[in-house]
Amino acid sequence: MSFPTAGPPPPLTVGLPDGRRLGYTRYGDPAHRAVVYQHGFGTSGRALPPDAALLARLQLQILAPDRPGTGQSSVYRPLTFPSFADDVVALLDALGIAGPVGVMGWSVGGVHALALAARHPARVAAGQLLSTCLPLGEPEAYRHLSPLWKALRWGQVSFPWLNRTTFLWLSGQWRRHPDRTIDWFIRLMFAEEKRVSHQHRALLRDAAAWGFAHHGRGVYDDAQAWCRPPGFRIEDVQAPVRLWHGAADGVWAPGNIPYLAQRLGGAPVHLLPGQGHMLYLENWTAILEEMAGMMNA
């Protein structure tokens, strides 16, 4: 699948009630129905295919906010899933969007999408979880984590200074050597993620460099929030939700996706053979067509 070669739209900002700035990228016509995109860990809202023709056909716009400490968003401590859900509602209010919106989240952004739907049910009409993760700090979900993810959470909680130092160093690498850094990350990926990332190298490079602004503070705070109790119940999500996951996902194996779908009232799952963690880039048209249909319903 090919996308237009034009880059993403220019970044925008709004003021939040407490005086902070929230950065976001708007894809599509502001007059069309809104979908909120929650970005993944270590990246930003600028990681979406800029397919204006597709959005025009479906009469959708996408609002992709950057979490605190990412892009032009002010640093905020302590970041939580509920605090960012409230930030997104403040963004919608500032833009005059009062009706229910769609929400989608990729990777850990899926947990942020769930938090928005659970905390503000009247503002969410439909949701999609794309290669989603589980909240690492919820005891019930923790029992379903793989040994690797349990170890990663233990490291983040036990040695936060080490992670802070790592993200600070990576921020400098993304700022000074973005091409070398994206190539290094791609070499470390699993086979399916590596294949797709090669095809979308420039998009992912620029989105990650934007994501590691503020000396990597936003990435660190995002990791800390992910490891703490989530502050919402998955079962409180009222909007219809669909899950998209790759059977060859090397980052978040699909084994616990049926468990998450069950907690969402038996939400349908698209399990795609041979696809990995970056599947949203390969299935962008089908994902948006499904969202448009869910919002029409």
Side-chain angles (χ1 to χ4, degrees):
M1 181 182 299
S2 62
F3 297 106
T5 56
L12 304 168
T13 63
V14 297
L16 295 174
D18 62 2
R20 288 181 293 125
R21 303 296 296 176
L22 182 69
Y24 70 100
T25 302
R26 173 180 249 152
Y27 302 79
D29 188 335
H32 290 161
R33 297 168 299 172
V35 177
V36 173
Y37 171 79
Q38 304 276 33
H39 64 78
F41 181 75
T43 181
S44 66
R46 303 184 67 72
L48 295 182
D51 196 335
L54 173 62
L55 291 171
R57 175 169 66 85
L58 299 175
Q59 294 193 311
L60 295 177
Q61 61 164 313
I62 297 180
L63 301 171
D66 293 322
R67 288 194 282 279
T70 296
Q72 292 180 298
S73 292
S74 304
V75 174
Y76 177 69
R77 297 186 292 272
L79 172 69
T80 66
F81 289 110
S83 75
F84 189 62
D86 294 348
D87 286 350
V88 172
V89 169
L91 168 66
L92 297 176
D93 290 343
L95 298 178
I97 299 173
V101 301
V103 62
M104 58 174 62
W106 174 65
S107 196
V108 71
V111 186
H112 282 281
L114 290 172
L116 178 62
R119 188 167 174 85
H120 299 280
R123 306 300 292 266
V124 175
Q128 291 171 307
L129 306 180
L130 315 175
S131 307
T132 193
C133 306
L134 294 177
L136 303 183
E138 184 195 66
E140 183 176 349
Y142 181 84
R143 294 193 290 269
H144 292 263
L145 300 180
S146 68
L148 174 60
W149 278 106
K150 288 180 179 179
L152 290 173
R153 180 185 182 276
W154 174 80
Q156 178 68 30
V157 172
S158 301
F159 306 101
W161 57 269
L162 180 59
N163 288 280
R164 179 70 190 99
T165 302
T166 300
F167 296 143
L168 176 63
W169 176 78
L170 282 173
S171 175
Q173 297 304 302
W174 281 114
R175 184 177 65 256
R176 294 189 297 268
H177 312 291
D179 286 299
R180 187 172 72 186
T181 305
I182 188 62
D183 290 339
W184 178 73
F185 270 103
I186 290 175
R187 285 196 297 270
L188 295 177
M189 291 178 178
F190 294 94
E192 188 58 27
E193 286 75 26
K194 183 180 297 186
R195 179 184 66 81
V196 179
S197 295
H198 268 302
Q199 297 174 0
H200 301 274
R201 176 182 176 277
L203 179 73
L204 297 173
R205 176 200 64 203
D206 296 345
W210 190 255
F212 273 84
H214 300 280
H215 307 291
R217 183 76 216 197
V219 183
Y220 171 78
D221 290 341
D222 208 17
Q224 290 292 101
W226 193 7
C227 292
R228 288 192 292 264
F232 72 95
R233 296 178 66 252
I234 293 173
E235 288 78 7
D236 288 341
V237 174
Q238 299 176 17
V241 176
R242 304 288 185 270
L243 288 80
W244 291 69
H245 216 88
D249 193 323
V251 176
W252 196 272
N256 50 31
I257 296 305
Y259 157 75
L260 178 57
Q262 181 270 327
R263 292 189 62 183
L264 290 166
V269 177
H270 302 285
L271 185 62
L272 306 184
Q275 295 201 26
H277 202 63
M278 316 299 293
L279 65 77
Y280 81 95
L281 290 169
E282 292 197 289
N283 299 276
W284 191 234
T285 298
I287 289 168
L288 285 185
E289 287 176 342
E290 180 183 73
M291 175 58 77
M294 294 172 72
M295 294 181 71
N296 288 337

